[in-house]
Amino acid sequence: MGRGKLRIYLGAAPGVGKTYAMLSEAHRRIERGTDCVVGFVEHHNRPRTVVMLHGLELVPRRDLEYRGTTFAEMDVDAILARRPAVALVDELAHTNVPGSRNAKRWQDVEELLQAGIDVVSTVNIQHLESLGDVVETITGVRQRETVPDEVVRRADQIELVDMSPQALRRRMAHGNVYKADKVDAALSNYFRPGNLTALRELALLWTADRVDEYLREYRGEHDIRTTWQARERIVVGLTGGPEGRTLIRRAARLAEKGAGGEVLAVYISASDGLSTASPKELAVQRTLVEDLGGTFHHVIGDDVSDALLEFARGVNATQIVLGVSRRRSWQYAFGPGVSATVARESGPDLDVHIVTHDAAAKGRGLPIPRKARLGRSRIIWGWLTAVAGPALLTLLLNQVLPGLGLANDMLLFLTCTVAAALLGGLMPALASAAFGSLLLNYFFTSPLHRFTIADPKNIVAIAIFVGVAVSVASVVDLAARRTQQAARLRAESEILSFLAGSVLRGEDSLDALLERLRETFTMDSVSLLERASEVEPWTLAASAGSHPVSRPEDADVDMPVGENLSLALSGRVLAAEDRRVLGAFAAQAAVVLDRQRLVGEAEEARRLSEANRIRTALLAAVSHDLRTPLAGIKASVSSLRSDDVEWSEEDRADLLEGIEEGADRLGQLIGNLLDMSRLNTGTVVPLIRETYLDEVVPMALGGVPEDSVALDIPETLPVVAVDRGLLERAVANIVENAVKYSPAGQPVLITASALHDRLELRVVDRGPGVPDEAKDRIFEPFQRHGDAPAGAGVGLGLAVARGFTEAVGGTLAAEDTPGGGLTMVLTLPVAGSEHPFSAELPASAVS
């Protein structure tokens, strides 16, 4: 009896149609004659799902008692006894009631699969164990029911049930998912458009990863080496030369022509770790490819062509982009080159693009110096070994170990030459070889003590000794220098990688950059100097370390950056090869300095522009909106003081009421103007203290009629940390605005709820609403929506409300009210962990 097959319908959120799709699949299988039963399906009283259960055999559930309540769970024993071909089991991540056969439903499903029964199940992306923290960050809700990722990965088939957030919210608003009394709460909390979009992206990416995994497994099982062009994957072969940027941009343009194109830049270095590529150029190219949305890969391989093709086939690439060789014409005598070899051996499954560039046929060159400093002490020891070593060895062989033979003597002298090469490099080694050959001739070849050789065989031996000594010294010296170069270039690459990363991260701390420079080169101080012109004195823009210099000529190292900017270091003199890294630091320092100033200038320009706009709007408000109530007050007062008309008590009361209303409106306008002025000048200083929301909100409703607002604020809400006066004023402005636009007879609803570490106050009206493109604009000063009634104010109420809300650490945003209208969502931080609260979904949403 073989193991059953598992098919899973994966969704991004409840309500996308997983259960409906599972039941549709069951009907299709029954029509084909498959024995299919319903082991457990949770329809949540959704009419369309209930209809899909008609015609399907339901295995009775098992009732379990737990803490005085009866629960119905799936009866695994009954399904095993029935032994259908296919069993439908909903909600794979469900936790069974204590006392059940297994703790989790996926364990029940595992038993059915072991018994040879095929299972069709459902699960939401938020129930995968590895995504629990991610989902909690997005939605603020911790999923208590989870299923191990490996259980879902082992499924024979995974089908994504996808639906756009807008379509799902419409489905919920129509009552197809939850009951009417739960729709508003669900749409306002868990089922927000942002939450649903993020969950949908998680589901799509997780499913895409599984598709790639299945594709790799299938290609590996069937030993498929050819490329399957499921989507465009373009591999860019980099050499570290200047043409790399051109190749990367060309590959990015090719990727843009097809949907889902992907760029993979690869640099292949030798297995010994040594490279002639420029670390600085490679760092720039890595940054470029990442900015264009691609990835950078470093591969080890002695044969560049084979390694490049192996990498391309391993990632299932469809195209390879290479540059025309930089070798000169005569260098092709040593081989056809990487580009030609890759194009010849790529086969029909890989397209190879050979791209021309400015550096073509101009020679590859060596971007790193062949010489490396070995240090003065090592060179001195090398020369001492080259001179004193052969002399001491001659004395030892003549006085202590005579008669070893010419061959052994030559090997000992060769050892001295190798030691000189290891310590001092090539020149001491060559001197040791020359000096040793003279000593061998004089003391150890006949005739002795003469610079002549009688035996021709000894002449050959001496010549071989000199040749071997020179060859070994050259190889040892080259290896030692390359080791030094590799260590140095590794350090340089780390520094340049840091600089490139700081650019990508947008770091703009000039002091931190200069401090890193000082530590890198162990300097006493680093100064960034600037001047307005060549005749102006230098000024200190930034510095790090003690006693920074004030002029470039006073520094030990001076690195100009343009005509009027210079980097000055004091402490020691740097070698010439250190200046290229120093130049990179200098260029980055200039960029950071410019960025800081541009940010400051942009902020100042924005502030001036905003002040000018507010000033203009204020003049308009004073000329119209403030004059209107003044005119009404003036007319009423003049009428009352007139002796020509005899006013009745009723008329006098109406005129006095008009005066009072005009004064109230004038006071409100002036208060908002003063509040807006305080916000713009930054003089709002909140006094944060812990308070309960139900103590503040009722105080903010004094300016609206009692029957115009319906209040629903639970007393069990956690404490918030706010300024009570600012919060009260913000809520008052929001409520007054909602009442102004709400239709007669439909009160504004004010509700509050706790969600994770924040508290939300929602002011819901059933007015005309606001289009999406205007939702942010209504919070700007002196902005009124296009359908605002005449005399609706100067447009400062919501701007002041958002300003006060942000001043106390909260946020204020506008959302559509399901069924029509506008909902203002005011979010406030909860005051510390000493006031715990629970933010759980309703039972219907957890599934």
Side-chain angles (χ1 to χ4, degrees):
M1 180 178 58
R3 177 183 171 87
K5 295 184 180 298
L6 175 61
R7 180 188 181 99
I8 293 179
Y9 287 94
L10 176 68
V16 296
K18 303 179 304 299
T19 304
Y20 190 93
M22 179 180 68
L23 295 174
S24 299
E25 174 66 17
H27 282 288
R28 286 192 294 270
R29 297 197 181 198
I30 290 175
E31 290 175 0
R32 296 195 299 266
T34 305
D35 183 15
C36 184
V37 301
V38 175
F40 187 97
V41 167
E42 188 61 68
H43 51 73
H44 299 295
N45 294 322
R46 297 167 185 168
R48 298 188 179 184
T49 306
V50 173
V51 169
M52 292 298 295
L53 286 171
H54 295 167
L56 298 178
E57 178 184 348
L58 277 67
V59 176
R61 301 182 184 183
R62 179 185 178 190
D63 292 333
L64 295 173
E65 293 286 339
Y66 181 67
R67 293 184 178 179
T69 305
T70 302
F71 296 90
E73 293 287 1
M74 183 174 69
D75 194 337
V76 180
D77 292 326
I79 299 176
L80 291 174
R82 170 66 173 75
R83 294 200 59 81
V86 179
L88 307 184
V89 181
D90 207 2
E91 299 179 356
L92 186 63
H94 173 74
T95 301
N96 293 330
V97 175
S100 300
R101 184 188 185 94
N102 295 298
K104 304 287 288 187
R105 183 163 294 163
W106 64 264
Q107 295 172 329
D108 296 337
V109 169
E110 186 66 23
E111 280 198 44
L112 299 179
L113 294 173
Q114 291 291 345
I117 301 173
D118 294 346
V119 176
V120 182
S121 187
T122 65
V123 71
N124 284 327
I125 193 68
Q126 66 264 30
H127 294 299
L128 295 180
E129 200 168 76
S130 65
L131 299 178
D133 295 339
V134 179
V135 173
E136 183 180 11
T137 302
I138 295 171
T139 64
V141 177
R142 181 67 181 184
Q143 298 295 333
R144 302 186 183 279
E145 294 188 328
T146 60
V147 57
D149 289 45
E150 186 60 29
V151 173
V152 183
R153 285 197 184 97
R154 287 201 307 263
D156 298 276
Q157 297 180 52
I158 298 177
E159 182 172 334
L160 179 66
V161 182
D162 189 30
M163 176 176 287
S164 69
Q166 294 77 11
L168 179 56
R169 286 173 60 86
R170 283 197 302 270
R171 175 181 286 185
M172 296 189 65
H174 294 158
N176 295 333
V177 180
Y178 297 141
K179 295 181 179 179
D181 58 341
K182 297 181 179 179
V183 170
D184 284 349
L187 290 175
S188 302
N189 292 285
Y190 192 84
F191 292 88
R192 297 178 179 180
N195 291 358
L196 295 177
T197 302
L199 292 174
R200 186 189 188 198
E201 183 180 18
L202 280 178
L204 290 171
L205 290 175
W206 195 90
T207 307
D209 288 341
R210 300 291 75 74
V211 171
D212 278 344
E213 182 179 319
Y214 294 152
L215 183 59
R216 286 195 300 269
E217 291 177 358
Y218 182 85
R219 286 165 54 85
E221 292 172 357
H222 294 79
D223 196 24
I224 298 173
R225 305 294 296 167
T226 58
T227 299
W228 285 5
Q229 300 183 2
R231 62 173 173 171
E232 292 293 340
R233 282 191 176 93
I234 303 174
V235 171
V236 185
L238 301 179
T239 65
E243 78 281 0
R245 306 182 199 184
T246 302
L247 303 183
I248 292 171
R249 293 189 179 97
R250 179 61 180 274
R253 291 196 296 271
L254 290 173
E256 290 175 356
K257 294 179 180 179
E262 184 179 357
V263 176
L264 301 92
V266 57
Y267 170 70
I268 299 173
S269 62
S271 58
D272 57 8
L274 302 178
S275 170
T276 59
S278 168
K280 180 179 179 181
E281 183 63 30
L282 280 177
V284 171
Q285 292 173 15
R286 175 194 290 268
T287 302
L288 176 61
V289 71
E290 291 175 351
D291 286 344
L292 293 175
T295 55
F296 183 90
H297 305 268
H298 191 163
V299 176
I300 305 298
D302 292 323
D303 191 312
V304 176
S305 302
D306 288 346
L308 182 60
L309 288 170
E310 186 70 20
F311 175 83
R313 293 191 176 104
V315 299
N316 200 27
T318 58
Q319 302 180 53
I320 298 178
V321 175
L322 298 172
V324 174
S325 178
R326 287 181 283 132
R327 297 192 302 174
R328 300 186 185 277
S329 301
W330 61 269
Q331 292 178 308
Y332 282 97
F334 299 101
V338 174
S339 300
T341 304
V342 171
R344 184 182 66 246
E345 298 180 0
S346 61
D349 55 333
L350 274 173
D351 295 335
V352 180
H353 300 265
I354 308 297
V355 180
T356 59
H357 50 85
D358 295 336
K362 293 185 178 180
R364 288 178 295 182
L366 292 174
I368 61 173
R370 293 191 62 85
K371 291 186 178 181
R373 291 189 303 114
L374 296 177
R376 180 176 298 179
S377 60
R378 287 194 58 178
I379 294 176
I380 292 175
W381 278 105
W383 280 104
L384 287 176
T385 303
V387 176
L392 293 175
L393 184 58
T394 300
L395 181 63
L396 177 66
L397 293 177
N398 279 323
Q399 301 297 327
V400 181
L401 300 171
L404 285 180
L406 183 60
N408 292 326
D409 295 339
M410 288 183 177
L411 289 176
L412 293 173
F413 275 94
L414 184 61
T415 303
C416 289
T417 302
V418 173
L422 287 173
L423 291 174
L426 182 60
M427 296 307 296
L430 294 178
S432 176
F435 188 35
S437 63
L438 292 176
L439 293 178
L440 283 171
N441 182 14
Y442 191 81
F443 289 101
F444 301 102
T445 58
S446 58
L448 299 177
H449 307 299
R450 294 177 60 185
F451 289 104
T452 58
I453 302 175
D455 190 350
K457 295 180 179 179
N458 291 338
I459 297 176
V460 175
I462 293 293
I464 293 175
F465 165 77
V466 174
V468 171
V470 171
S471 300
V472 171
S474 299
V475 172
V476 172
D477 171 72
L478 181 61
R481 292 179 184 276
R482 283 298 181 91
T483 301
Q484 294 256 340
Q485 291 171 0
R488 180 180 184 81
L489 290 176
R490 179 179 179 182
E492 290 184 4
S493 66
E494 291 177 355
I495 295 172
L496 295 172
S497 177
F498 160 77
L499 292 177
S502 66
V503 173
L504 291 175
R505 293 188 296 270
E507 297 177 356
D508 54 1
S509 175
L510 189 56
D511 293 337
L513 180 66
L514 296 183
E515 180 62 26
R516 176 64 183 263
L517 171 59
R518 190 187 69 81
E519 294 175 354
T520 300
F521 293 104
T522 62
M523 289 293 184
D524 295 335
S525 67
V526 177
S527 304
L528 184 62
L529 306 174
E530 64 174 344
R531 58 184 178 182
S533 64
E534 294 183 359
V535 297
E536 296 291 333
W538 291 95
T539 59
L540 187 65
S543 64
S546 59
H547 307 296
V549 298
S550 57
R551 299 186 306 168
E553 48 267 30
D554 297 335
D556 295 315
V557 181
D558 172 27
M559 173 60 70
V561 189
E563 296 181 355
N564 301 316
L565 196 65
S566 179
L567 195 63
L569 296 84
S570 62
R572 64 186 180 92
V573 178
L574 294 180
E577 54 264 33
D578 289 327
R579 294 186 68 85
R580 61 178 175 181
V581 177
L582 182 59
F585 268 106
Q588 177 68 2
V591 170
V592 172
L593 180 62
D594 289 342
R595 183 189 301 150
Q596 287 181 346
R597 289 178 175 171
L598 288 174
V599 169
E601 292 174 359
E603 179 62 25
E604 179 65 18
R606 188 201 63 79
R607 188 184 65 80
L608 293 175
S609 175
E610 181 69 13
N612 184 61
R613 188 182 68 81
I614 291 177
R615 188 181 301 111
T616 303
L618 179 60
L619 292 174
V622 170
S623 64
H624 180 267
D625 294 276
L626 295 181
R627 291 178 63 183
T628 300
L630 283 174
I633 294 173
K634 175 68 175 176
S636 298
V637 171
S638 299
S639 299
L640 289 173
R641 296 187 61 185
S642 175
D643 297 331
D644 300 336
V645 180
E646 184 68 27
W647 301 104
S648 64
E649 289 298 326
E650 184 179 351
D651 292 335
R652 292 175 61 86
D654 290 339
L655 291 173
L656 291 174
E657 183 179 357
I659 294 174
E660 184 177 10
E661 289 179 355
D664 290 342
R665 184 180 170 199
L666 187 61
Q668 183 181 12
L669 292 175
I670 293 175
N672 279 334
L673 288 172
L674 293 176
D675 290 338
M676 199 69 238
S677 176
R678 292 170 60 201
L679 288 171
N680 287 327
T681 56
T683 57
V684 176
V685 181
L687 179 61
I688 303 297
R689 56 183 177 178
E690 296 183 358
T691 186
Y692 288 94
L693 200 61
D694 57 356
E695 297 176 356
V696 177
V697 176
M699 302 296 295
L701 306 181
V704 297
E706 293 184 2
D707 58 349
S708 63
V709 175
L711 197 60
D712 181 17
I713 299 180
E715 296 181 355
T716 57
L717 290 176
V719 177
V720 292
V722 295
D723 184 307
R724 295 188 59 172
L726 296 181
L727 178 61
E728 180 180 332
R729 185 59 185 276
V731 174
N733 283 5
I734 297 171
V735 174
E736 289 173 6
N737 184 80
V739 171
K740 184 187 306 179
Y741 290 97
S742 189
Q746 295 191 16
V748 173
L749 176 63
I750 303 178
T751 64
S753 60
L755 184 65
H756 195 44
D757 58 351
R758 60 189 185 273
L759 187 147
E760 287 189 351
L761 179 71
R762 309 181 74 84
V763 180
V764 184
D765 68 61
R766 295 291 178 177
V770 176
D772 291 340
E773 61 272 11
K775 282 188 173 62
D776 286 331
R777 195 166 61 248
I778 61 176
F779 293 104
E780 297 179 4
F782 304 104
Q783 294 291 326
R784 291 182 296 179
H785 188 47
D787 59 354
V794 296
L796 283 176
L798 293 182
V800 171
R802 172 173 276 188
F804 284 172
T805 302
E806 294 176 348
V808 299
T811 61
L812 179 61
E815 296 181 357
D816 290 330
T817 301
L822 190 68
T823 298
M824 291 293 178
V825 183
L826 192 152
T827 305
L828 298 170
V830 172
S833 60
E834 66 271 17
H835 305 284
F837 64 97
S838 175
E840 295 292 333
L841 283 176
S844 57
V846 175
S847 61

